DNA sequence: GCACAATGTGACCGCTTGTCACAAGGGCTC
DNA sequence: GAGCCCTTGTGACAAGCGGTCACATTGTGC
């Protein structure tokens, strides 16, 4: 359910960038493959955001969904790893679009430290703990080789991080109060292939 | 359901890399947060893969799941975009681990064409159609800026691609027989934050 | 004012998931 | 080989969620 709200957020953000200012449940349905009735039901459960005969105002709906997800403010995150993937993440506008601020980029490689990526400069890995504390960071993103993933996760968690996004292939052991989100494009691809072959 | 099978695949692949050769439903449950009974039920629906009192043999279970998902062979995919994200994808072992072969990397930028990434060399964008046909490609991965995403998607689909992985932020309009998988780390992050705050 | 478009909502069905309980089978120790 | 423990395989059942039809309601444009 909150998963669906996130999808709406994604579609609305894009629709807004394309210059639209309102959207119907049917249009959201076309992009998300979520039933239009379901969408209206989801939204109407929290209030009456739409206008009958017209649709939803994109700006106000974005605000409402952010309010529901309680993710309105700025959120600081830490990015570990300034390799190709780390650079790709840091230089993408994708986080900023949603109010997420990459507060610090760290790497263990002295050759990478000091280099600018995005509008940040790569910090030494040893400053991780201070960076997490000073910026009130509860989300860490791992863009490191799988060998170093567990160690980096441990260090993040030690410093106070509660949510880890793992872009390495490693399986992470973490305490029960820490959430790990792993994203594996290859597995998603196999999953997509399965449905294609059906 | 197939989604859960994919998760198992992910865990098993990693467990294997860590040198384990068997695993119990409880262990899979610890890593996936999927109920252990559910896991046994999922698997037993397709056959009796485990040994009571022992667990599952990782190699044979991997084979069985691949058989169920019908994703045993090699699959060729096309990667459009040789920027930082494209490079990160191309040089990652993640696809190869699952039998997915990046057959071709394309870019419109003449400066990038010819450069090696991974063990491939970047091809001119104009060769897309031939590459897709010659390699029997039905999956295309978009690692391009959002401005070019729709055009690239159109070209891929024209050439015969049926599954598009969209790593840009653009919303894609595609024919009904084409599946789009979008992955937006920022939205996933907001989703994770939502649960953390609960 | 009328037709049209789109939301908001009730009712209902079926599928999926979570859970308890327990029999059955394999391995280990003594 | 007997007994014990571990883990799978499976039945039964409850609960939740998603999909769908139907329809009243309300705003827009002609």
């Amino acid at each position: 359910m909150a998963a669906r709200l996130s999808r709406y957020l994604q579609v609305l953000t894009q629709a807004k960038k394309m210059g639209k200012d309102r959207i119907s449940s049917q249009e959201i349905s076309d992009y998300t493959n979520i039933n239009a009735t379901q969408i209206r039901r989801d939204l109407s459960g929290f209030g009456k955001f739409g206008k009958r005969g017209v649709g939803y105002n994109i700006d106000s709906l974005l605000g409402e969904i952010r309010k529901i997800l309680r993710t309105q403010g700025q959120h600081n995150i830490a990015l570990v790893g300034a390799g190709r993937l780390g650079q790709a993440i840091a230089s993408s506008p994708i986080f900023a679009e949603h109010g997420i601020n990459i507060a610090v980029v760290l790497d263990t490689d002295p050759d990478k430290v000091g280099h600018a990526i995005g509008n940040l400069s790569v910090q030494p890995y040893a400053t991780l703990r201070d960076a997490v504390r000073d910026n009130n960071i509860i989300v860490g993103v791992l863009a490191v080789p799988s060998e170093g993933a567990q160690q980096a996760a441990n260090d993040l968690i030690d410093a106070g991080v509660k949510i880890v996004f793992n872009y390495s292939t490693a399986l992470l052991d973490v305490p029960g109060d820490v959430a790990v989100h792993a994203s594996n494009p290859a597995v998603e691809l196999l999953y997509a292939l399965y449905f294609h072959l059906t």
Side-chain angles (χ1 to χ4, degrees), chain A:
Chain A
M1 158 66 177
R4 288 201 300 278
L5 287 178
S6 307
R7 305 276 306 274
Y8 306 157
L9 208 55
Q10 194 169 356
V11 170
L12 292 170
T13 308
Q14 276 313 301
K16 181 177 175 180
K17 276 212 299 195
M18 293 199 248
K20 295 186 64 129
D21 59 344
R22 60 197 166 117
I23 195 167
S24 70
S25 59
Q26 186 55 53
E27 286 176 279
I28 304 180
S29 172
D30 292 340
Y31 284 117
T32 56
N33 297 317
I34 295 171
N35 190 279
T37 306
Q38 188 86 46
I39 295 173
R40 293 202 299 277
R41 199 179 292 282
D42 283 344
L43 298 176
S44 77
F46 296 101
K48 313 206 170 180
F49 305 143
K51 284 192 183 161
R52 297 170 191 240
V54 179
Y56 298 91
N57 176 287
I58 289 184
D59 276 327
S60 81
L61 188 53
L62 272 172
E64 295 292 351
I65 294 180
R66 293 220 180 89
K67 226 183 280 175
I68 296 165
L69 293 179
R70 299 189 295 281
T71 52
Q72 279 184 297
Q74 282 285 324
H75 301 278
N76 286 331
I77 67 174
L79 173 59
V80 182
R84 276 179 286 244
L85 181 56
Q87 289 170 36
I89 292 172
S91 56
S92 157
I94 199 170
F95 283 107
E97 262 174 21
H98 288 274
I100 295 164
N101 176 44
I102 300 175
V104 59
V105 182
L106 305 139
D107 205 298
T108 52
D109 180 351
D111 290 348
K112 296 217 180 73
V113 170
H115 278 219
I117 64 178
N119 46 4
L120 291 167
S121 111
V122 178
Q123 301 297 312
Y125 185 74
T127 63
L128 187 152
R129 176 178 285 273
D130 289 341
V132 167
R133 196 200 37 213
D134 295 347
N135 296 286
N136 240 346
I137 290 174
I138 59 167
V139 179
V141 176
L142 293 182
V144 298
S146 57
E147 306 84 64
Q150 181 70 55
Q151 184 59 51
N154 293 348
D155 294 339
L156 282 168
I157 292 165
D158 268 358
V161 161
K162 296 295 180 198
I163 301 174
V164 176
F165 270 70
N166 177 19
Y167 285 104
S168 82
T169 60
L171 285 179
L172 301 178
D173 269 315
V174 300
D177 67 334
V178 174
V180 175
H181 283 245
S183 154
N184 188 324
V187 169
E188 285 169 32
L189 204 153
L190 292 179
Y191 180 54
L193 271 172
Y194 171 71
F195 281 110
H196 175 69
L197 298 172
T198 303

